[in-house]
Amino acid sequence: MTNKVLGKASGTRRYLALFFPFLPAERWLRTAPKPPDAPLVFAAKQRGAMRLASVDAAALAVGLRPGMPLADARAQAGELAVVPHDPMLDQAWLDRLAQGCARYTPLVALDAPDGLILDIAGAAHLFGGEAGLVADVEMRFARLGMTLRHALGPTADAARALARYQARPAPDEAQAIRRLPVAALELEAEATTALVRAGLKTIGDLASRPMANLAARFGADAAMALRRMLGDAPSPLDPRVTPPPVAAERRFAEPLGSTAHAAKMLAELAGEAIETLVKRGKGGRHFGATFFRSDGLARSIAIETGHPTRDVGLVMRLFAERIDSLADPLDPGFGFDMIRLTVTRLEALGASQLKLEGGTAKEAAIDELADRLATRLGRGRVRRLRPADTHIPEQAQLELPAIDAPPPLPWQAGDPGEPPTRPFHLFDPPQPIEVIAEVPDGPPQRFRWRRALHAIRRYEGPERIAAEWWRRRDNGGLTRDYYRVEDAQGRRFWLFRHGLYDEKPDPRWYIHGVFA
């Protein structure tokens, strides 16, 4: 059992490309009731006809190729097992394979639709070198029933080309790259044909020619693809996920067959990650746990908190909530042989002073409750009201997810003993009413709302609220005069006139809220 805090790899880059030539078929066979007796092909409508999108090894052996019309394939091979092509399921399966490859390096890129590229710089020593890492990759994909072709290279483009186009072995990588056919550059068909007709059939043939001449004759794309293949131009990798700022992992010589035991190991990793956060003066807002199974697959879960935290107990309670709420339970299969915990979002977190009356402790308890509810019910299901710096009543508070809500502004407290200036219940949008009022710009005397007439006995106002100049186009740019009124039955309402008479000839009245 080994521990390691992950860091950013440095030094010479090394890439491992993985190519799954029969990915759709082998993905489909994992859930098929039984293997078909006939060659298996996947068909999709292309250019107005049903064509082969992918084939299995048996179909390939009888001469069937992707892109062939389905009718021609039936005529050539006779009986076929035809399955509708589903690229979305293939993409999801490729993503699961990439998630499992994160055990080797966090820099895993999708090479859709049937490949992966791993940046293994600084990672091979964990497996006794590149040969040990490759052997481990082969073993795990063999357990999954996946046919694999792979290759190592100094650039991502070179490794990918070697995995897909290398036909015979070479004494070293440089010679293997030079022996690749020009088709490995994956240019347009016309450009590849022109290169072959010019007698330039391999990468070595192209590399022996001046780059300027190649660009002038065959285009800048051909020259740039060759430079990237040879490492003379950047060959950037777009990883599936970016390396986290803080991570800790643990490998096991004997896989863990119990989810409860895995949770205990996760708690130890959380403690290690929290120690790193303490040293940096940071707190975590987003934590992720990945459980790597011995068969090569992996399962990831994540939690979020509304505020930065370094509380191991809180983190583990949230992970327990997440695991309990999973629709698909966390299945160890043949056991977890590696667990990784990452902290992908950090924020500054200093020391806090508890109030003598326990105010801060109560706020922390409310925050923890909101985090637990959001973890179990969904991040958008638990929401909080936050005050906003505006005088427009319906915009004075925002309803935001509790996880995403920013630090709150202080609520404006009313004067002690005075009635509230704003009702607890607002209508959104305000409801139009018919008002008899003194003009111009006088207070209301009676109003009709929902077919009921209300005689106003007392009023207070107006409270004049001008439109925000940067939002005049949105709200019409009209001034509002608000009145707190009480009718003859003692019911209190919040009314406003939308516009002054010098702004609008006939301003409308609205009821915006009802006082308790």
Side-chain angles (χ1 to χ4, degrees), residues 380-387 394 396-402 405:
R381 299 285 183 89
V382 182
R383 309 178 76 84
R384 280 184 170 181
L385 296 177
R386 301 287 186 177
E394 63 269 24
Q397 60 184 10
L398 304 175
E399 183 183 288
L400 301 173

Side-chain angles (χ1 to χ4, degrees), residues 139-197:
M139 177 267 294
R140 295 187 188 279
F141 281 110
R143 289 180 180 176
L144 291 174
M146 299 296 296
T147 302
L148 173 66
R149 292 180 58 181
H150 58 79
L152 294 161
T155 68
D157 285 36
R160 182 183 188 278
L162 289 171
R164 293 172 180 267
Y165 294 94
Q166 186 177 15
R168 55 195 177 97
D172 54 47
E173 286 180 2
Q175 287 296 324
I177 294 171
R178 296 178 70 88
R179 291 182 182 181
L180 289 172
V182 292
L185 297 178
E186 296 189 344
L187 304 174
E188 296 291 337
E190 294 81 0
T192 302
T193 302
L195 288 170
V196 174
R197 287 177 178 175

Side-chain angles (χ1 to χ4, degrees), residues 194-253:
L195 288 170
V196 174
R197 287 177 178 175
L200 304 174
K201 298 181 180 181
T202 66
I203 299 298
D205 295 337
L206 292 178
S208 62
R209 301 296 194 275
M211 199 68 65
N213 294 348
L214 292 176
R217 185 173 178 183
F218 302 104
D221 290 344
M224 178 55 68
L226 178 61
R227 294 183 61 205
R228 292 179 60 175
M229 182 81 67
L230 300 177
D232 296 332
S235 179
L237 193 70
D238 184 16
R240 173 178 168 270
V241 295
T242 56
V246 175
E249 67 181 31
R250 183 162 297 179
R251 301 172 186 268
F252 309 100

Side-chain angles (χ1 to χ4, degrees), residues 291-467:
F291 301 86
F292 297 89
R293 300 191 339 182
S294 58
D295 61 1
L297 297 180
R299 181 72 179 276
S300 295
I301 58 175
I303 61 168
E304 293 180 273
T305 62
H307 301 277
T309 183
R310 292 196 294 259
D311 186 347
V312 177
L314 170 61
V315 171
M316 292 311 301
R317 285 193 293 273
L318 294 180
F319 270 123
E321 291 281 355
R322 174 67 72 203
I323 292 173
D324 290 342
S325 63
L326 290 175
D328 182 14
L330 193 62
D331 180 16
F334 293 103
F336 299 120
D337 60 358
M338 176 178 163
I339 300 176
R340 176 181 295 154
L341 183 134
T342 60
V343 188
T344 55
R345 183 179 175 186
L346 311 183
E347 290 183 8
L349 179 62
S352 61
Q353 178 66 47
L354 293 178
K355 297 180 180 179
L356 293 178
E357 66 275 16
T360 304
K362 294 179 181 178
E363 295 171 5
I366 294 176
D367 292 339
E368 180 180 347
L369 175 61
D371 292 341
R372 294 181 64 182
L373 291 175
T375 299
R376 176 170 287 274
L377 303 177
R379 67 191 321 272
R381 299 285 183 89
V382 182
R383 309 178 76 84
R384 280 184 170 181
L385 296 177
R386 301 287 186 177
D389 188 12
T390 178
H391 294 290
I392 305 302
E394 63 269 24
Q395 300 173 4
Q397 60 184 10
L398 304 175
E399 183 183 288
L400 301 173
I403 292 292
D404 298 329
L409 298 172
W411 291 98
Q412 293 184 356
D415 297 331
E418 293 294 325
T421 59
R422 299 286 188 272
F424 288 107
H425 180 79
L426 291 181
F427 296 113
D428 186 18
Q431 299 184 9
I433 56 176
E434 300 174 6
V435 173
I436 298 177
E438 298 179 6
V439 292
D441 302 338
Q445 296 179 344
R446 292 189 298 276
F447 70 93
R448 186 182 299 276
W449 176 48
R450 295 178 179 175
R451 300 182 181 181
L453 184 64
H454 299 265
I456 296 176
R457 184 175 62 180
R458 293 187 297 182
Y459 75 88
E460 183 178 1
E463 177 187 356
R464 182 158 293 177
I465 299 178

Side-chain angles (χ1 to χ4, degrees), residues 250-270:
R250 183 162 297 179
R251 301 172 186 268
F252 309 100
E254 293 294 333
L256 305 180
S258 167
T259 303
H261 194 187
K264 293 180 180 179
M265 296 299 103
L266 183 63
E268 295 184 12
L269 292 176

